[in-house]
């Protein structure tokens, strides 16, 4: 039974191959062969005054050096004119000169390099204690304590910790960081 099915499949494949071959080789009247012949009969070469290669132009192009024009090829807008560029330069220079005598901006608030992860109180009624960590190192400090010899703890709130940098007197605030679920 198996050999009979194989023979039937072989006959079907041979019939399909013969059909495809016949379809590919069949050209209807006015088909591709006649179109190719017509094209060759009507072909006319381009009319060029002097068809020989102009070697001096080729050498000139090879020796040419690229110089950027300042135009962005990928922008859709029109590039600014030289007058607009000069005007813009003058305005920038005037703005720079106008703000030259302004006082410098205030320094940014100090940053506490530790992670504030919680607070608590001792049942005997003492002040709040803040829990800070630096990797595996944990610091427990109260209001008024000096931390790392550089920061004085001013106030421990429910969601933040206020501190002062002792050397400069600048004040900062550290927000309580959520630990997330413990695994």
């Amino acid at each position: 039974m198996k050999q009979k099915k194989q023979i039937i499949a072989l006959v079907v494949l041979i019939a399909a191959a013969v059909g495809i071959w016949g379809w590919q080789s069949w050209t209807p009247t006015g088909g591709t062969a006649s179109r190719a012949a017509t094209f060759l009969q009507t072909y006319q070469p381009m009319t060029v005054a002097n068809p020989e290669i102009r070697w001096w132009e080729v050498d000139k192009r090879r020796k040419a050096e690229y110089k950027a024009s300042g135009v962005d090829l990928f922008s859709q807008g029109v590039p600014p004119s030289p007058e607009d560029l000069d005007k813009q330069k003058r305005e920038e220079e005037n703005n720079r000169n106008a703000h030259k005598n302004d006082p410098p901006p205030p320094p940014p608030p100090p940053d506490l390099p530790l992670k504030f992860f919680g607070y608590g109180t001792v049942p005997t009624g003492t002040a709040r204690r803040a829990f800070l960590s630096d990797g595996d190192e944990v610091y427990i400090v109260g209001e008024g304590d000096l931390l790392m010899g550089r920061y004085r703890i001013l106030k421990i709130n429910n969601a933040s910790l206020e501190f002062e940098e002792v050397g400069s007197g600048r004040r900062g605030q550290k927000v309580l960081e959520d630990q997330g679920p413990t695994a």
Side-chain angles (χ1 to χ4, degrees):
M1 193 69 180
K2 185 177 177 185
Q3 189 176 10
K4 188 176 181 182
K5 286 183 182 180
Q6 288 177 346
I7 292 174
I8 292 173
L10 179 65
V11 169
V12 169
L13 287 174
I14 290 174
V18 168
I20 292 172
W21 178 77
W23 182 67
Q24 289 292 328
S25 62
W26 176 70
T27 56
T29 57
T32 57
S34 64
R35 267 190 266 146
T38 307
F39 170 74
L40 291 175
Q41 289 172 357
T42 61
Y43 172 74
Q44 290 192 3
M46 294 191 311
T47 55
V48 178
N50 186 359
E52 77 179 39
I53 297 175
R54 299 178 188 138
W55 291 108
W56 61 274
E57 281 190 21
V58 172
D59 290 338
K60 185 175 111 178
R61 299 280 188 232
R62 284 184 183 159
K63 293 175 184 175
E65 191 173 317
Y66 174 74
K67 294 177 184 155
S69 64
V71 176
D72 184 7
L73 300 175
F74 302 104
S75 70
Q76 294 180 354
V78 178
S81 66
E83 294 84 23
D84 291 340
L85 290 173
D86 290 342
K87 182 179 176 184
Q88 183 181 2
K89 243 185 219 180
R90 282 193 303 269
E91 287 175 2
E92 288 175 2
E93 191 173 314
N94 289 341
N95 287 340
R96 227 178 291 125
N97 292 338
H99 296 294
K100 201 179 253 187
N101 296 330
D102 289 351
D111 183 37
L112 190 62
L114 303 173
K115 183 178 180 180
F116 174 44
F117 67 92
Y119 64 91
T121 58
V122 178
T124 60
T126 60
R128 280 187 173 181
R129 298 270 185 205
F131 306 116
L132 300 133
S133 71
D134 182 19
D136 291 337
E137 192 76 29
V138 176
Y139 299 95
I140 301 172
V141 292
E143 292 178 357
D145 289 351
L146 196 62
L147 177 64
M148 299 170 61
R150 184 174 173 190
Y151 303 101
R152 183 170 311 281
I153 305 302
L154 301 175
K155 181 98 172 135
I156 301 170
N157 297 316
N158 290 341
S160 65
L161 172 76
E162 295 176 19
F163 63 93
E164 176 184 38
E165 193 174 36
V166 176
S168 66
R170 296 183 305 160
R171 293 180 177 221
Q173 189 173 13
K174 189 74 172 179
V175 179
L176 180 68
E177 297 183 28
D178 185 23
Q179 291 290 313
T182 56

